[in-house]
Amino acid sequence: MPAHSHLLLEALFRILELVHEALLSGNLITKRFDIVWCLISQMIMHNTLEDQADFVAHRNIYYQNIELFKSQSMVDNMVDNLALTLGVGRGDLNIVATAKGLIAGSVDLKMRNGSITRCGLSRDNGMLLPSINSVEAIDLHSAKWLLVIEKEATFRTLAASRFHSTCKTGHGVLITAKGFPDLATRRFLHVLHSVRPQLEFFGLVDFDPHGISILRTYTKGSRRLEHEQGITVPRMRWLGIRSGDVLPYTPNVDSTTETFQDSQSSDSQASQTISSQESASYSFAGGQYFCLEQSCEFDNEGRPPKRARVHEPDSSDSSGSIILLTSSDRRRAVNLMKELRNTLETTDGSDADQMYELQRMMMLNIKAEIQAVDAFGDVTGWLDERLCTHFSA
Amino acid sequence: MSKQYLTVHTVDQAHPTEIFSLAPTPTAVFSASGSSALRIHSTTEPTFPVQQILEAAHKLGCHHVCTARGGLGVVAVSVGFGGEIKIWRKGGEDDTAAKEWALSYEIPPTKSSGGDVWAVALSADESYLACTTSDGRSHVWDLVARERIQTYETGGNGGNGGSFAMAVDLSRDGKLTATGHESGAVYVFNNDAGRMVYSLSGLVKPVRAVAFSPGCKRLAAAGNAGIIAIYDMQHGEHVSNLSASSNRPAWITSIDWNDTGEYLLSGSLDGKVKVWDVARGVCVATHSETEGALWSVRWLPKSERALAPGMGKGEMFCAAGAAKSLTFYREATGI
């Protein structure tokens, strides 16, 4: 520890130095190329939050001091701790990160500089979310729903197919924060959330502990940024995906692996298969009492005698989208469950729902990505269906 | 010849969340679920009433509970999602009157070392516990001395951990331990020698259940492949497979031998419970009361007493899962 702590101190002083310099000059600091921080001393001193957003000079804390900071997360932590220590949010300090989020759909943003951005016009890839501070007004038109997608790739596919306007339930908005949500995206969502209470918010995340914690970050906020205000979207509902969407016996699984055979074992009994008992077995009424007739024929004929037993590798289940949990996934799941357990009594059913899916995940020891809902990774059909169910309910 | 089973009783909403595991004793059945309490239902009365509720047993829910097959039925072991193992005992040492279950002691997660504890199995004399971990190990605990006496490694070289051991069983004679792994491997260990005796192939997909036959001559293993593989324990050979004809059989989550070793019970994620005639290699009965997944199916130890007047004393089994209910079935003999 002692050998390490002088590095930590050095890093902290370096940040303070850069921040101080920036505060005095009103410069922008970036943690990295895609996150721009503007720190303005006068904000704290004189509480003048007026448009000082024109200042420039990009700094790059992390890339200028890679040796010292070791990792980006170290910078993030320190800056957040600093904000926490001062008892204010990043926003109050006017530390603004430019969003890494993307948006597509029937939204017009009227910017403070007078320009109007139409998010529905962007041809395919969606457009980068502007900082909410630079937005003056938001026009949601007839949007009925807003879908937050964990994965950028899924977002891009949906945006390219113009799902936001072709969806059967009506127009909507697509947003992604490309994985774990950043503050700017969450703040943007929070504003939309308060602007249009009747807008339905949905979250579409992977079926894994990470996906559920992303969902919880949107609805409840993250522990690390508890001191931030106005960044949660409590009404967001969990659209998917869940265990039921990906389990291999569900009908949406491709049937390419019909090569399943019973054992080629020399034991003659083993090579007998019962056919058609499934349909025959329901002949007894009432479902309470039936017997399975043994009349089922054994279809030994018509099958090559020494056909090797073919087991498809496990990855073939559901078009290769079911993945095994790693030990760190399991640890993360247990930690999430502990967190959920503590809040379970005090909150609505959504926590219980998440607990239940985490338990299933642990029992099955599988996870799956969003595109697992369809054999070809096309989620639009599934999404249409889910959104319809929500709106008709 | 087919077998007929009928539903004797269903305990609806036995748990508030889905039931993950069942463990029968001669007079009752334990059930464990995603909620914190363990429940014990009497199996000697026609309505299967709740006998006792072990409240707040596992804070995060409980994924495995086990009792000894062919044992007295005074010890039960449960494992919670948090990784803690709890050992429960019935009554006092020599007390025959007070027959309440109570916590004997707990093995906290840190003591179990390595990955988190998953499946458990009790020896027939109820004094040894085998438990598996997510990094492929199996530990054997002496429950009387409260210490770990054996660790079986399956991780291969480098100690980077083996494939998740999802299932475990101890043979009734206490000689063998079998583990079923996510990689599809099934390992059999000799408990006296403390080493692996068989590494069994045949199932490529994750193995979710393993069970020794009552005579300890056979081992059954099943899982995502949707078939049950039967192995001979004298030579470690793959003897046969039990399989249904469907193209994509559902994952099997649970298997259990009946007391005579003639029949195997299996439960799967598509909600079907099946009875298999092992010698003939065929399925002799299928029930599917629910659409929801089944997590556990267990034969109830044979009892000499008839459950109710005129009901006979056929073999019974119990199934539970996502439907949150306990369903009891009885063989329809002599009707």
Side-chain angles (χ1 to χ4, degrees):
Chain A
M1 274 308 261
H4 189 58
S5 58
H6 82 274
L7 279 178
L8 284 176
L9 267 181
E10 198 179 331
L12 185 61
F13 278 123
R14 183 73 186 130
I15 292 181
L16 283 172
E17 190 189 334
L18 286 166
V19 165
H20 185 242
E21 200 182 308
L23 288 172
L24 293 179
S25 62
N27 280 348
L28 276 177
I29 302 178
T30 65
K31 291 192 297 178
R32 214 170 37 177
F33 63 90
D34 62 345
I35 300 175
V36 183
W37 296 54
C38 58
L39 255 179
I40 306 152
S41 62
Q42 291 83 352
M43 302 295 143
I44 324 169
M45 301 317 201
H46 315 296
N47 209 17
T48 53
L49 289 159
E50 268 73 42
D51 269 313
Q52 304 211 8
D54 316 296
F55 46 4
V56 263
H58 289 234
R59 289 269 181 117
N60 206 312
I61 299 182
Y62 175 56
Y63 282 116
Q64 282 182 349
N65 303 274
I66 293 178
E67 287 286 286
L68 182 59
F69 290 120
K70 301 277 193 302
S71 74
Q72 177 70 44
S73 62
M74 188 174 166
V75 180
D76 297 357
N77 275 327
M78 281 187 160
V79 174
D80 283 329
N81 287 341
L82 200 62
L84 178 63
T85 310
L86 292 173
V88 289
R90 269 193 235 156
D92 297 327
L93 288 166
N94 208 19
I95 304 172
V96 181
T98 57
K100 61 173 177 167
L102 296 173
I103 185 167
S106 59
V107 189
D108 290 347
L109 302 173
K110 190 174 177 226
M111 312 301 284
R112 286 197 194 279
N113 63 14
S115 67
I116 288 177
T117 313
R118 296 184 199 281
C119 305
L121 288 181
S122 169
R123 272 173 304 283
D124 41 41
N125 285 340
M127 53 162 284
L128 208 60
L129 267 184
S131 162
I132 196 70
N133 292 356
S134 59
V135 176
E136 196 180 328
I138 301 171
D139 184 357
L140 279 164
H141 301 290
S142 59
K144 283 174 74 181
W145 51 267
L146 186 146
L147 182 65
V148 178
I149 302 155
E150 175 185 347
K151 276 213 164 59
E152 185 185 358
T154 311
F155 170 87
R156 288 194 188 277
T157 315
L158 287 173
S161 64
R162 303 197 59 77
F163 183 76
H164 44 86
S165 51
T166 58
C167 174
K168 285 175 185 154
T169 46
H171 288 231
V173 183
L174 302 168
I175 283 184
T176 182
K178 303 176 189 170
F180 209 81
D182 58 331
L183 213 50
T185 307
R186 283 153 64 188
R187 186 159 280 138
F188 191 89
L189 284 171
H190 179 82
V191 170
L192 284 185
H193 188 259
S194 37
V195 161
R196 176 80 75 95
Q198 63 272 40
L199 188 68
E200 296 275 1
F201 280 73
F202 298 103
L204 178 61
V205 295
D206 286 345
F207 177 63
D208 60 15
H210 196 72
I212 292 178
S213 73
I214 286 178
L215 191 81
R216 289 180 62 75
T217 305
Y218 282 117
T219 55
K220 316 252 165 181
S222 63
R223 191 176 298 162
R224 197 162 64 86
L225 295 175
E226 259 174 348
H227 53 284
E228 298 283 347
Q229 298 292 318
I231 51 168
T232 58
V233 193
R235 273 195 294 119
M236 186 188 285
R237 288 196 277 178
W238 186 13
L239 196 67
I241 60 174
R242 308 190 192 199
S243 55
D245 298 319
V246 292
L247 279 179
Y249 63 82
T250 47
N252 58 19
V253 171
D254 65 318
S255 53
T256 53
T257 51
E258 288 180 5
T259 43
F260 183 86
Q261 294 292 311
D262 54 340
S263 177
Q264 59 160 352
S265 157
S266 52
D267 189 332
S268 64
Q269 286 167 341
S271 60
Q272 298 173 336
T273 11
I274 305 166
S275 68
S276 74
Q277 89 254 42
E278 245 52 278
S279 49
S281 61
Y282 284 96
S283 52
F284 264 76
Q288 257 241 326
Y289 172 37
F290 64 78
C291 75
L292 174 65
E293 293 302 329
Q294 199 51 66
S295 61
C296 325
E297 65 277 29
F298 304 117
D299 57 350
N300 274 332
E301 69 278 5
R303 213 174 259 187
K306 287 209 86 173
R307 189 158 160 192
R309 186 155 46 94
V310 180
H311 284 305
E312 296 296 317
D314 197 61
S315 58
S316 73
D317 276 335
S318 189
S319 66
S321 307
I322 289 183
I323 314 157
L324 304 177
L325 291 180
T326 64
S327 54
S328 65
D329 284 332
R330 293 181 71 84
R331 270 196 302 277
R332 188 191 281 270
V334 170
N335 288 337
L336 251 177
M337 283 163 74
K338 284 180 184 155
E339 196 182 300
L340 279 164
R341 181 73 226 172
N342 293 333
T343 57
L344 209 55
E345 271 81 31
T346 55
T347 51
D348 54 359
S350 66
D351 279 5
D353 230 21
Q354 290 165 12
M355 184 83 172
Y356 165 91
E357 285 294 336
L358 278 170
Q359 286 175 340
R360 281 208 127 188
M361 198 184 290
M362 292 278 280
M363 286 300 287
L364 296 163
N365 203 44
I366 57 166
K367 57 182 177 181
E369 304 193 343
I370 295 167
Q371 59 272 26
V373 297
D374 183 271
F376 302 102
D378 177 13
V379 297
T380 49
W382 180 87
L383 267 178
D384 264 334
E385 194 182 299
R386 282 305 146 105
L387 287 170
C388 280
T389 350
H390 271 283
F391 278 102
S392 58
Chain B
M1 183 199 128
S2 69
K3 300 272 280 185
Q4 295 181 9
Y5 291 88
L6 53 93
T7 310
V8 182
H9 190 76
T10 299
V11 181
D12 282 320
Q13 297 293 316
H15 284 260
T17 62
E18 64 187 301
I19 298 170
F20 292 126
S21 190
L22 296 171
T25 72
T27 57
V29 61
F30 274 77
S31 50
S33 73
S35 49
S36 60
L38 292 173
R39 283 170 176 257
I40 305 161
H41 285 82
S42 166
T43 53
T44 55
E45 290 163 65
T47 56
F48 300 89
V50 178
Q51 206 172 59
Q52 194 181 341
I53 299 173
L54 301 168
E55 295 285 0
H58 295 282
K59 206 178 165 196
L60 303 182
C62 173
H63 53 74
H64 279 86
V65 59
C66 74
T67 50
R69 285 205 192 78
L72 284 172
V74 294
V75 178
V77 176
S78 58
V79 191
F81 280 99
E84 71 285 358
I85 306 174
K86 288 195 170 178
I87 290 96
W88 309 86
R89 277 183 195 279
K90 189 181 186 183
E93 294 303 315
D94 51 2
D95 182 13
T96 47
K99 283 301 181 191
E100 287 274 287
W101 288 86
L103 181 67
S104 175
Y105 61 99
E106 178 180 348
I107 303 173
T110 45
K111 267 185 145 181
S112 50
S113 82
D116 50 339
V117 174
W118 193 245
V120 281
L122 259 177
S123 66
D125 62 2
E126 304 187 329
S127 52
Y128 296 98
L129 174 77
C131 55
T132 66
T133 67
S134 60
D135 60 355
R137 275 174 246 253
S138 322
H139 300 301
V140 181
W141 288 76
D142 182 333
L143 290 184
V144 182
R146 303 188 180 190
E147 61 180 5
R148 197 165 73 213
I149 54 168
Q150 187 70 259
T151 296
Y152 298 123
E153 303 267 354
T154 63
N157 45 22
N160 46 5
S163 167
F164 184 8
M166 306 186 86
V168 65
D169 197 25
L170 281 165
S171 65
R172 289 200 192 183
D173 59 12
K175 285 183 182 146
L176 302 172
T177 302
T179 56
H181 296 257
E182 192 154 57
S183 60
V186 175
Y187 299 115
V188 181
F189 303 91
N190 182 315
N191 292 335
D192 297 328
R195 60 180 179 82
M196 190 190 293
V197 283
Y198 302 128
S199 167
L200 304 168
S201 57
L203 294 168
V204 180
K205 298 185 177 185
V207 175
R208 295 181 178 271
V210 288
F212 284 105
S213 67
C216 313
K217 296 268 196 306
R218 293 277 193 269
L219 175 75
N224 292 16
I227 61 170
I228 305 170
I230 310 283
Y231 302 94
D232 167 63
M233 281 299 102
Q234 274 163 326
H235 307 289
E237 281 168 358
H238 184 184
V239 183
S240 62
N241 279 344
L242 308 175
S243 64
S245 64
S246 73
N247 292 327
R248 296 292 300 266
W251 295 1
I252 294 174
T253 52
S254 178
I255 51 176
D256 196 25
W257 295 81
N258 79 330
D259 271 342
T260 63
E262 289 172 276
Y263 297 103
L264 260 173
L265 191 64
S266 74
S268 52
L269 280 189
D270 60 357
K272 291 198 173 77
V273 51
K274 288 172 187 270
V275 181
W276 304 83
D277 183 323
V278 180
R280 291 188 300 133
V282 293
C283 172
V284 292
T286 302
H287 275 254
S288 66
E289 308 257 313
T290 77
E291 288 280 292
L294 285 178
W295 290 113
S296 191
V297 291
R298 288 285 178 266
W299 292 100
L300 302 183
K302 217 163 185 170
S303 139
E304 285 312 305
R305 277 189 304 150
L307 192 61
M311 275 184 74
K313 14 174 226 221
E315 275 191 304
M316 302 212 307
F317 62 84
C318 180
K324 305 169 191 172
S325 56
L326 296 171
T327 309
F328 294 90
Y329 300 85
R330 183 173 64 81
E331 187 184 353
T333 49
I335 296 177

